[in-house]
Amino acid sequence: MLATLRAIAESVSQQASLDSALACFVKMVKDAMKTECCSIYFADYSQDNFVLMATRGLNPAAVGKFRIGFTEGLVGLVAQREEPINIAFAKSHPRFKLSPEVNEEGFNAFLSVPVVHQKKVLGVIVVQQKIARVFSQDEESFLITLSAQLASQLAHAEIKEVLRQDEFSHQTSVLKGVSSAPGIAIGQAFVILPKLDFKSIELKKDENCTEQRRLFTQAVAATRKEFNTLSMTLSDSIPKEALAVFEVYQQLLDAKSLGQNVEVQLLEGWCAKSALKIVIERLISQFNAMQDPYIKERAVDVKDIGLRVLHHLVNTEHAVKSYPKNTVLITNTLTPAMLAEVPKGHLAGVVSVNGAANSHASILTRAMGIPAIWGIEDLPLLQFDGKPMILDAYSGRLYISPSQMLQDEYLQLQHQESLLNDKFVAEQECDAVTLDGEHISLLLNAGLELNTEKANTKVCDGVGLYRTEAWFMQKGQFPSQIEQENWYREVLASYHPEPVVMRTLDIGGDKALDYFDITEENPFLGWRGIRVTLDHPEIFLDQLKAMVKANIGLGNLKIMLPMISGTEEVDESLALLEQAYFELEEKYPEQAIERPEIGVMLEVPSSVFMLPEWSKKVDFCSVGSNDLTQYLLAVDRSNARVADLFNPYHPAVLRVLQKVAKECQQYEMSFSLCGELGGDPEGALLLIAMGYRRLSMNYSSLSKVKWVLRRLKASDMEALLTECLAQSTAKQVLRLTRNFMIEHQLGELFYTPNQVS
Ligand code: PEP
Ligand code: MG
């Protein structure tokens, strides 16, 4: 059964178009289950009905035409219940609806399962048979497994379909993701390709066969050159027989094998990439179908060669491309390097397939004030390239080829957005004080965006979190102690006399150093933050000494330890600090070595329960609400699939944050918060009400939060908090905070997506 399942999934994935994939699917399922009919219906949410997409057994003429309402017939029932229906006499079921146009009168047995992806019903698979029988448990499980396997492929296909419609109809299409940095971007898509894959290549025709042939020949030549270089480089280190593989590769590249086949496709009008895709995928399935395991293995070689040629084909195209003026960067997994490559002033927005709102790359887009959305499922990326786009990162919508009317509406919204921003900026240098006189220290989260960060001590009261790891990430190796010292000194001096809280190296999780491999199955629960540096005292000591030395004569440094989960880690860190002081004092006896305040981050739930002890050991703590939420709710902060569950407004998170505030007050320990929650105006209100008087946030949030709190009374925030803490869901909490803002004439902060149809 497993082999059949795999064979079906593989064959379907190798089909060039959605239609052929579905046709292949229904045929294979019908044959595998030895039935007389298999059909697949797709949900069309624009018309609230299902459309017959492919069938083996029903009237083929009805494909693409026959539709059945969401609440009609057995197909509708399967989708409504989101569970299989398995019955011997379909006609005797009260929900059976006879549809003469599909010719299903002859069938009795009926087994159907929904195709569900991320809680959304994408379609329904139906298997029918003339004899009246209930399908076996095995058959039912087989169909359920198949449907689950295919769900993501079909979700992908669904998006492709949206895009295809857009291509043919020139209508605006819209895709939905999760907002990660608010704002609106109007611009042109620029796709940065992930690891190339034939799946991401959409079949396209191109009339200029000569040009396409030239591109292909050029890509083949570049691939040959690559193989020559590779084989020359390896000639000393691997045996001669092994080098023969390159000869085989060169032969495969020959005009007579690959070339000839591609030529046929080019003559049929396919563009070079499509022609290559068709030929390579066909070859792969031919090799896969072979019995001989050795020959079967050659499918891997064919794929490798194909991908290398494809890589050169795409590169040739990209070589002549430059970033458009308003680039909407589209990529599979965003990295800081990708952001850095876009010329200054050209980046309007970002769309990333993977990641989620609290991943570090996402925090970076927020820090830069660039609208971004995450988690648009399985995009066929290349198809977006060059298209006009509107990115509405308030509602998480991406509009492809927007109509002029829509563009005008969004231009209007962008204008309103910039007027509002002007209001924030007008007050950004005023004191952060509530209407009833509570002074709040607003601090900066810095370190992430090294190129454009400017110290502006008029807007903030210093730095509440300096992420030192970002600089380590940009370097090709661990920086020396002296390099670090110079750099830290520059940072401390630029904010002087305001305090700068420098966090020691926090790598692991989703923050990797190219030159220090950490490969783990479960990186967020693995070797992260302080765990790494305590295991490498030489790295930790270098950093501590560089920080302390940089602080000589300035005195505005505070040191913060990330990811502390137990008292041993506090003690070991303090011991290493003592060692650093001792060594520095010994080396520089003439210098007065100042001992900065030391703090711990509260990111791991265990830390919240250790405050009575830790308050005696360290000077301050700062809540890292991003990680604290992740660990408290057991939701990977960078996984788009569970992004909905990552919610710092979850009552449990709020109650923990309040506990921290109460206990820190009780144990007289200075406390702050430096996660993303503090930069969200609604989050800031709740935190102030809990007693937080130091909030650290991205530069782009500072003026907004300041503007909001200057219009409210802390006593009103406290009343709001009491209500919020009594709620049992994040949704209820957010409803209350939203209403509160509206009642206090701050509703203009909320963009309502309904404004744009
Ligand atoms: C946090 O976890 O809230 C935090 C501020 O640290 P980072 O986002 O860098 O992990
Ligand atoms: Mg953290």
Side-chain angles (χ1 to χ4, degrees):
M1 216 44 139
L2 194 61
T4 318
L5 280 167
R6 211 175 277 152
I8 296 178
E10 233 171 74
S11 305
V12 169
S13 72
Q14 280 165 11
Q15 299 302 312
S17 68
L18 176 63
D19 291 345
S20 58
L22 295 178
C24 165
F25 176 81
V26 290
K27 178 180 180 313
M28 289 188 85
V29 176
K30 179 181 114 24
D31 293 350
M33 294 184 69
K34 299 191 176 53
T35 59
E36 287 124 8
C37 179
C38 175
S39 317
I40 182 156
Y41 295 81
F42 261 24
D44 179 347
Y45 282 89
S46 65
Q47 298 191 28
D48 283 352
N49 59 25
F50 289 100
V51 55
L52 178 66
M53 294 296 287
T55 183
R56 271 289 164 131
L58 298 182
N59 177 11
V63 169
K65 297 191 189 94
F66 175 66
R67 285 174 182 264
I68 184 157
F70 275 171
T71 53
E72 282 182 338
L74 289 171
V75 167
L77 186 63
V78 171
Q80 274 175 312
R81 286 200 191 156
E82 296 185 14
E83 62 180 13
I85 289 188
N86 181 359
I87 40 176
F89 288 103
K91 283 175 219 151
S92 61
H93 194 284
R95 276 290 291 267
F96 179 79
K97 179 175 182 240
L98 185 69
S99 310
E101 56 273 58
V102 293
N103 298 348
E104 64 180 337
E105 292 79 4
F107 298 116
N108 282 303
F110 179 98
L111 169 64
S112 174
V113 298
V115 183
V116 186
H117 183 71
Q118 294 189 343
K119 297 187 190 154
K120 183 177 172 194
V121 176
L122 299 180
V124 171
I125 305 169
V126 183
V127 171
Q128 289 167 280
Q129 214 167 358
K130 286 182 185 143
I131 66 159
R133 68 170 181 110
V134 174
F135 286 88
S136 72
Q137 283 299 310
D138 276 354
E139 286 171 313
E140 198 175 311
S141 318
F142 175 77
L143 208 56
I144 291 172
T145 315
L146 212 46
S147 144
Q149 276 183 356
L150 284 179
S152 81
Q153 273 174 285
L154 296 186
H156 186 167
E158 190 194 39
I159 293 173
K160 280 196 205 164
E161 200 54 24
V162 169
L163 294 173
R164 200 160 58 181
Q165 280 164 17
D166 149 52
E167 200 153 290
F168 293 123
S169 65
H170 300 287
Q171 277 176 7
T172 306
S173 15
V174 54
L175 297 175
K176 187 88 177 67
V178 179
S179 167
S180 85
I184 292 163
I186 303 175
Q188 196 182 342
F190 185 94
V191 174
I192 298 190
L193 280 175
K195 225 172 90 221
L196 270 182
D197 191 338
F198 280 108
K199 270 196 208 141
S200 63
I201 304 293
E202 285 302 299
L203 288 183
K204 263 197 188 149
K205 297 255 174 173
D206 191 307
E207 281 162 14
N208 192 344
C209 180
T210 323
E211 172 62 8
Q212 293 303 311
R213 188 179 297 119
R214 192 187 64 75
L215 286 173
F216 176 71
T217 318
Q218 208 171 309
V220 169
T223 314
R224 275 189 193 291
K225 213 165 140 197
E226 189 182 327
F227 284 146
N228 283 337
T229 321
L230 260 178
S231 98
M232 256 152 53
T233 322
L234 295 175
S235 60
D236 293 338
S237 52
I238 63 171
K240 254 199 155 52
E241 310 82 74
L243 281 177
V245 74
F246 289 109
E247 272 164 44
V248 178
Y249 275 26
Q250 296 280 18
Q251 279 163 19
L252 273 169
L253 279 174
D254 258 1
K256 278 191 226 82
S257 53
L258 190 65
Q260 231 167 40
N261 286 323
V262 169
E263 175 69 20
V264 173
Q265 302 303 327
L266 291 176
L267 288 173
E268 280 190 17
W270 295 111
C271 72
K273 278 184 295 188
S274 304
L276 182 68
K277 173 186 164 98
I278 295 170
V279 171
I280 294 289
E281 287 188 340
R282 193 189 299 146
L283 280 174
I284 291 175
S285 58
Q286 279 167 4
F287 276 109
N288 274 336
M290 303 283 181
Q291 293 299 326
D292 181 331
Y294 176 77
I295 301 185
K296 219 178 169 125
E297 284 266 301
R298 301 286 64 79
V300 179
D301 298 337
V302 171
K303 189 166 181 192
D304 184 29
I305 291 174
L307 286 175
R308 282 170 193 267
V309 179
L310 182 65
H311 176 82
H312 288 293
L313 258 178
V314 173
N315 270 1
T316 334
E317 282 178 7
H318 270 253
V320 290
K321 268 182 56 175
S322 56
Y323 287 92
K325 192 135 190 309
N326 286 311
T327 294
V328 176
L329 194 68
I330 301 192
T331 184
N332 219 311
T333 305
L334 183 74
T335 62
M338 288 176 185
L339 294 172
E341 250 171 47
V342 185
K344 221 173 162 39
H346 281 46
L347 185 60
V350 172
V351 179
S352 177
V353 176
N354 297 318
N358 286 284
S359 64
H360 286 89
S362 175
I363 292 176
L364 182 55
T365 56
R366 239 177 346 255
M368 294 167 78
I370 300 290
I373 63 173
W374 250 239
I376 287 191
E377 178 67 27
D378 239 356
L379 292 174
L381 292 177
L382 267 180
Q383 214 175 328
F384 283 86
D385 211 23
K387 292 204 169 169
M389 304 258 154
I390 293 176
L391 173 65
D392 176 347
Y394 289 103
S395 66
R397 289 199 181 101
L398 178 68
Y399 297 91
I400 305 137
S401 310
S403 65
Q404 192 53 49
M405 210 168 86
L406 197 65
Q407 288 190 44
D408 292 344
E409 280 184 70
Y410 269 101
L411 278 169
Q412 183 58 27
L413 277 173
Q414 239 182 0
H415 179 62
Q416 284 169 15
E417 201 188 29
S418 96
L419 290 180
L420 192 59
N421 196 49
D422 290 346
K423 290 194 201 175
F424 302 154
V425 172
E427 289 184 23
Q428 68 178 4
E429 293 184 9
C430 299
D431 284 345
V433 55
T434 63
L435 286 180
D436 48 359
E438 284 295 333
H439 280 265
I440 314 296
S441 282
L442 295 189
L443 302 141
L444 182 65
N445 283 351
L448 269 185
E449 199 211 336
L450 301 169
N451 302 336
T452 52
E453 247 164 45
K454 288 187 300 289
N456 190 344
T457 44
K458 289 197 181 126
V459 180
C460 65
D461 304 309
V463 175
L465 167 66
Y466 197 91
R467 291 179 163 101
T468 58
E469 59 277 1
W471 188 62
F472 278 70
M473 282 156 112
Q474 286 183 12
K475 310 246 23 156
Q477 57 186 28
F478 280 109
S480 67
Q481 197 190 118
I482 187 78
E483 254 185 298
Q484 290 190 56
E485 182 191 324
N486 292 338
W487 167 50
Y488 299 147
R489 194 168 175 82
E490 203 179 303
V491 175
L492 291 173
S494 60
Y495 291 95
H496 192 264
E498 300 297 343
V500 175
V501 178
M502 284 200 171
R503 178 170 74 181
T504 59
L505 193 60
D506 183 23
I507 50 169
D510 64 346
K511 289 181 283 194
L513 301 181
D514 290 343
Y515 48 91
F516 188 71
D517 185 38
I518 306 179
T519 310
E520 291 178 310
E521 283 218 348
N522 227 333
F524 278 113
L525 296 182
W527 209 39
R528 265 200 85 183
I530 201 74
R531 300 172 184 177
V532 178
T533 43
L534 286 180
D535 283 351
H536 279 278
E538 76 291 4
I539 298 173
F540 196 36
L541 277 170
D542 252 8
Q543 188 176 35
L544 293 174
K545 285 190 213 166
M547 284 180 180
V548 173
K549 186 120 191 294
N551 192 37
I552 292 176
L554 290 169
N556 59 335
L557 168 74
K558 297 184 187 199
I559 296 180
M560 184 155 71
L561 309 167
M563 278 291 294
I564 298 281
S565 59
T567 307
E568 297 86 341
E569 289 163 345
V570 180
D571 291 341
E572 278 178 49
S573 305
L574 294 178
L576 284 167
L577 246 169
E578 281 306 319
Q579 185 178 333
Y581 297 141
F582 176 78
E583 286 174 14
L584 285 174
E585 278 159 358
E586 207 177 42
K587 196 162 172 194
Y588 306 100
E590 72 291 356
Q591 300 274 19
I593 305 288
E594 210 175 306
R595 294 177 178 225
E597 283 185 20
I598 308 298
V600 289
M601 286 200 75
L602 305 183
E603 297 172 288
V604 183
S606 61
S607 67
V608 173
F609 299 90
M610 302 307 292
L611 292 171
E613 285 93 333
W614 295 357
S615 60
K616 297 191 189 90
K617 293 176 183 278
V618 294
D619 305 294
F620 68 94
C621 64
S622 185
V623 180
S625 56
N626 308 333
D627 276 314
L628 189 59
T629 306
Q630 149 164 278
Y631 295 125
L632 212 50
L633 303 182
V635 181
D636 178 346
R637 64 193 267 188
S638 52
N639 181 345
R641 203 175 279 172
V642 289
D644 288 0
L645 298 175
F646 186 101
N647 198 331
Y649 293 89
H650 188 299
V653 180
L654 296 182
R655 290 171 202 178
V656 166
L657 293 174
Q658 196 192 35
K659 175 181 166 62
V660 169
K662 278 192 174 156
E663 292 204 5
C664 285
Q665 283 158 350
Q666 183 184 345
Y667 297 107
E668 295 178 1
M669 187 185 198
S670 161
F671 65 106
S672 64
L673 180 136
C674 59
E676 294 296 292
L677 182 65
D680 187 358
E682 291 158 271
L685 302 189
L686 296 179
L687 292 163
I688 292 170
M690 290 176 195
Y692 289 80
R693 289 295 174 269
R694 298 171 67 77
L695 298 175
S696 192
M697 61 198 69
N698 295 322
Y699 192 81
S700 59
S701 304
L702 271 170
S703 51
K704 192 202 273 189
V705 169
K706 192 182 278 190
W707 187 83
V708 169
L709 65 88
R710 284 168 53 80
R711 281 161 177 72
L712 294 168
K713 284 190 187 152
S715 55
D716 289 339
M717 300 178 201
E718 279 158 26
L720 169 70
L721 175 70
T722 310
E723 265 191 279
C724 288
L725 287 172
Q727 305 305 312
S728 52
T729 68
K731 213 170 171 178
Q732 291 163 341
V733 172
L734 281 165
R735 195 173 302 132
L736 286 174
T737 55
R738 196 64 45 112
N739 287 343
F740 176 87
M741 299 285 270
I742 293 166
E743 277 162 22
H744 289 81
Q745 281 74 51
L746 296 167
E748 62 184 308
L749 251 63
F750 305 114
Y751 154 85
T752 42
N754 304 345
Q755 279 174 272
V756 176
S757 51

